Amino acid sequence: MMKFAKLTKEQFEELSDEFAVFLAAQSIDEKEWTKIKEEQPELAEKELEVFSDFVWEKVLNKTGYLEHFSKDALNLFKCNEKDMQRIVVKVNKEGINLLDTKDFDWLLDNSKDPRIEYLKGKKEYKSERSIEIFDVVQKGGVVSDGKLFEAMHKMLSV
């Protein structure tokens, strides 16, 4: 049973060198892998699933921040060891689209506008940290450098 989700074909292609090392660690060379795919497709599928979980676990363990943008809101996450902090920036302005650079710049330039609502929260992980981070990723969150979270956090702490 997979812990996360199987990587896409494109992701596997990008990680082909890492996958080769993964297989080599199990004494499976290219010729052997081709044979397994042809003669034991269920075993090949299992190897792909194990590798996918390995990659996801590695990425998620290193993840410190996530961002999720929609037309009228930003969801910013800081993924601590025991909990996840969240800042929501909701813009109640007609015609706003934060996915558009000019509207996002408007938000940054007008952070004190009364049509902008800020919410802060924190929740402890109820399950494994990596699983909860993966859930946010599955819902559209992307790993970030945390600069926007930290800037908003600093602004809201003043």
Side-chain angles (χ1 to χ4, degrees), residues 18-20 27 33 36 46 56 62 67-68 70 78 87 94 96 100-101 107-108 112-113 126 132-133 135 138 142 150:
E18 290 84 351
F19 187 59
S27 303
W33 176 242
I36 290 171
K46 188 72 180 152
W56 276 114
K62 286 195 253 178
E67 297 176 351
H68 184 274
S70 66
K78 182 175 183 180
I87 297 173
E94 189 68 36
I96 194 82
D100 181 289
T101 306
L107 167 66
L108 297 178
K112 303 278 190 236
D113 189 291
K126 290 184 175 42
E132 295 207 24
I133 293 171
D135 184 53
Q138 288 291 92
V142 294
E150 292 300 336

Side-chain angles (χ1 to χ4, degrees), residues 3-5 7 52-66 79-81 84 125 128-138 141-143:
K3 189 173 180 179
F4 303 108
L7 298 172
S52 293
D53 275 348
F54 171 76
V55 169
W56 276 114
E57 192 73 52
K58 194 172 171 182
V59 168
L60 297 168
N61 281 338
K62 286 195 253 178
T63 299
Y65 297 90
L66 297 166
C79 309
N80 300 313
E81 194 62 36
M84 189 181 292
Y125 301 121
E128 281 183 58
R129 177 185 184 275
S130 59
I131 289 174
E132 295 207 24
I133 293 171
F134 183 72
D135 184 53
V136 175
V137 170
Q138 288 291 92
V142 294
V143 177

Side-chain angles (χ1 to χ4, degrees), residues 2 4 14 22-24 28 35 39 52-53 62 70 86 97 102-103 114 116 121-122 128-129 131 146-147:
M2 288 194 69
F4 303 108
E14 283 184 36
F22 174 79
L23 291 174
I28 301 172
K35 185 178 174 186
E39 297 175 8
S52 293
D53 275 348
K62 286 195 253 178
S70 66
R86 181 178 182 186
N97 182 357
K102 98 179 146 45
D103 286 352
I116 302 172
K122 179 167 69 170
E128 281 183 58
R129 177 185 184 275
I131 289 174
K147 289 179 182 172

Side-chain angles (χ1 to χ4, degrees), residues 70-75 87-93 96 98 106-107 113-119:
S70 66
K71 286 184 173 192
D72 64 351
L74 303 177
N75 282 274
I87 297 173
V88 179
V89 181
K90 176 93 170 105
V91 182
N92 301 304
K93 179 181 181 242
I96 194 82
L98 297 175
W106 176 89
L107 167 66
D113 189 291
R115 295 172 288 183
I116 302 172
E117 192 178 346
Y118 298 94
L119 306 164

Side-chain angles (χ1 to χ4, degrees), residues 1-43:
M1 175 129 180
M2 288 194 69
K3 189 173 180 179
F4 303 108
K6 192 168 134 193
L7 298 172
T8 64
K9 185 175 189 267
E10 294 78 16
Q11 289 167 326
F12 273 114
E13 288 170 2
E14 283 184 36
L15 296 168
S16 61
D17 292 344
E18 290 84 351
F19 187 59
V21 170
F22 174 79
L23 291 174
Q26 299 175 68
S27 303
I28 301 172
D29 62 13
E30 189 175 346
K31 189 172 139 186
E32 179 71 16
W33 176 242
T34 301
K35 185 178 174 186
I36 290 171
K37 287 192 300 185
E38 290 171 1
E39 297 175 8
Q40 298 175 288
E42 57 293 324
L43 178 59

